[in-house]
Amino acid sequence: MSVIEALAPAVVKTPLVANPDLFSTKPSLIGLTRDDMAAALKEKGVSDKQVRMRVSQLWHWLYIRGVSDFDAMTNVAKDMREMLKQHFTIARPEIVEEQVSNDGTRKWLLRFPPRGAGRPVEVETVYIPEEGRGTLCISSQVGCTLTCSFCHTGTQKLVRNLTAEEILSQLLLARDRLGDFPGTDTPAGAYVPTGERKVTNVVMMGMGEPLYNFESVKKALLIATDGDGLSLSKRRVTLSTSGVVPEIYRTGDEIGVMLAISLHAVRDELRDMLVPINKKYPLKDLIEACRNYPGLSNARRITFEYVMLKDVNDSLEDAKGLIQLLKGVPAKINLIPFNPWPGTNYQCSDWATIEKFADFINQAGYASPIRTPRGRDILAACGQLKSDSERMRKTERLAFEAMMIAGHGEDD
């Protein structure tokens, strides 16, 4: 056992939960809009007179009651249930591994069908409980097309986009495992927020760039925030992007959730290196899109993520440049102490430097919390989410990216 392993906090793991429908060719009803669901039922012979009622029933069972078995839909006629079982699926993804940190953070390694990838694919979903809220971090792609130099996920090639079903299924599965649907129990000893709901906030900050999978992300988030179903507040859903400017406008107009920007630099020449998408969408265009984000106000601020890299972006001049750059944009700035991963050349800024940076920003009138690591013992941070089955050994993964998940979205 290595010294790192010996010092790591205890982690509770559960055996995998196999999914016999993983390789099923039957389409899923999860992730379909009401219109799409109606069309699918009509194609299987449901009459025009019945289809609206049937869609309403299915929507209720899927997104209010959270069932994953057609036989649990007790007010649906037996012959209808048999037809649904024959032609469709509502099964959850396979859980390859579930880990529970000593601070209550949970991480699930989930397996989805190949769908053109050549073999089944895996993504990680992370849950972070805090006082008064529970935040779920969801992935949108397997791998990533971006090559942000400080982010370990950026070293993984894009395998494929996740479907709306697969994005939404991460939320459904987390609510299953936390006892967050009616008639289900919270796991014994689980640390969850007080209140009626265990998952109160969702962040699209997992693996991938959500705005490069816009249509699937849009469909999933609109279902997640539908008032007659999962009913998450749009103020409690945050989409994080590295700066795909055209889709930022679309996100505000078509989805309407909160926005987070992976910023990390205030000069184009530095951001070109740290976040290469900046070469296509430079800071001027990015900040203009943020300034014009629909619904933006002091009550609906944009969060700017800023990872603190020693002698790279942590000077007082950088802090001054940050204030100047964001002038006129209702914003919160999350300062993230960098935690090096194997092979990176970056180091974390000294703590005194981070505090000085934060003090300057706070004095300028911006909320500037310094994010603290959560789930360190299970590597639960964004930028460290890994889907490839040939994952780094645990001893090599204990140094992780510090893109903190918690603290996003409003509390209403």
Side-chain angles (χ1 to χ4, degrees), residues 333-344:
I333 301 165
N334 277 353
L335 299 182
I336 304 166
F338 177 69
N339 286 280
W341 41 270
T344 183

Side-chain angles (χ1 to χ4, degrees), residues 4 23 44 53 89 107 161 252 301 325 339 366-367 379:
I4 296 178
F23 298 100
K44 301 305 177 185
M53 177 193 69
T89 180
K107 183 171 70 172
N161 287 332
R301 298 171 294 175
L325 182 70
N339 286 280
Y366 289 91
L379 301 163

Side-chain angles (χ1 to χ4, degrees), residues 306-315 336-339 346-355 357:
Y306 197 94
V307 64
M308 299 297 292
L309 303 170
K310 185 174 183 177
D311 299 327
V312 175
N313 65 352
D314 61 352
S315 70
I336 304 166
F338 177 69
N339 286 280
Y346 295 112
Q347 297 178 19
C348 182
S349 303
D350 298 330
W351 194 253
T353 300
I354 297 175
E355 288 187 325
F357 198 102

Side-chain angles (χ1 to χ4, degrees), residues 92-348:
R92 302 291 191 253
E94 177 181 340
I95 301 176
V96 179
E97 185 175 75
E98 179 181 53
Q99 298 185 45
V100 183
S101 168
N102 61 358
D103 65 12
T105 299
R106 290 175 176 260
K107 183 171 70 172
W108 297 277
L109 179 64
L110 306 179
R111 182 173 293 152
F112 293 106
R115 290 179 174 150
R119 60 179 178 177
V121 297
E122 296 173 359
V123 299
E124 287 176 346
T125 303
V126 178
Y127 174 74
I128 295 183
E130 299 176 277
E131 185 64 34
R133 67 160 71 191
T135 301
L136 186 71
C137 180
I138 292 177
S139 295
S140 58
Q141 295 180 311
V142 185
C144 189
T145 57
L146 304 180
T147 54
C148 300
S149 60
F150 59 86
C151 178
H152 188 262
T153 304
T155 66
Q156 306 164 41
K157 293 181 179 179
L158 178 69
V159 177
R160 70 170 175 83
N161 287 332
L162 294 179
T163 65
E165 170 214 344
E166 292 165 337
I167 294 168
L168 199 59
S169 287
Q170 295 172 68
L171 172 56
L172 298 178
L173 182 138
R175 292 193 63 185
D176 284 346
R177 303 296 286 183
L178 293 166
D180 203 19
F181 281 116
T184 57
D185 296 323
T186 302
Y191 174 38
V192 294
T194 56
E196 294 183 3
R197 305 190 77 165
K198 287 30 171 217
V199 179
T200 63
N201 293 55
V202 166
V203 292
M204 296 296 305
M205 293 181 68
M207 182 180 294
E209 166 54 65
L211 297 188
Y212 278 153
N213 187 17
F214 184 87
E215 292 301 332
S216 292
V217 168
K218 171 186 171 181
K219 187 179 291 188
L221 292 186
L222 289 179
I223 293 173
T225 56
D226 187 291
D228 292 325
L230 292 166
S231 198
L232 281 169
S233 166
K234 290 188 177 183
R235 293 183 62 187
R236 288 177 172 262
V237 177
T238 302
L239 185 149
S240 177
T241 176
S242 292
V244 187
V245 168
E247 272 65 43
I248 289 176
Y249 290 104
R250 292 187 64 197
T251 299
D253 289 333
E254 300 177 30
I255 308 177
V257 295
M258 305 293 280
L259 187 67
I261 303 293
S262 294
L263 188 63
H264 313 305
V266 298
R267 306 184 308 277
D268 278 321
E269 59 272 21
L270 177 58
R271 196 165 190 269
D272 286 350
M273 179 177 66
L274 296 178
V275 189
I277 195 176
N278 193 73
K279 297 173 185 176
K280 186 172 184 179
Y281 304 114
L283 284 167
K284 179 182 177 182
D285 297 340
L286 174 59
I287 300 304
E288 183 67 16
C290 292
R291 187 171 282 112
N292 292 294
Y293 192 71
L296 189 62
S297 68
N298 287 329
R300 289 176 60 87
R301 298 171 294 175
I302 293 176
T303 299
F304 290 88
E305 307 286 354
Y306 197 94
V307 64
M308 299 297 292
L309 303 170
K310 185 174 183 177
D311 299 327
V312 175
N313 65 352
D314 61 352
S315 70
L316 191 57
E317 288 303 310
D318 288 306
K320 292 177 180 177
L322 183 56
I323 298 305
Q324 186 62 35
L325 182 70
L326 300 184
K327 188 176 181 180
V329 179
K332 178 173 74 171
I333 301 165
N334 277 353
L335 299 182
I336 304 166
F338 177 69
N339 286 280
W341 41 270
T344 183
N345 293 321
Y346 295 112
Q347 297 178 19
C348 182

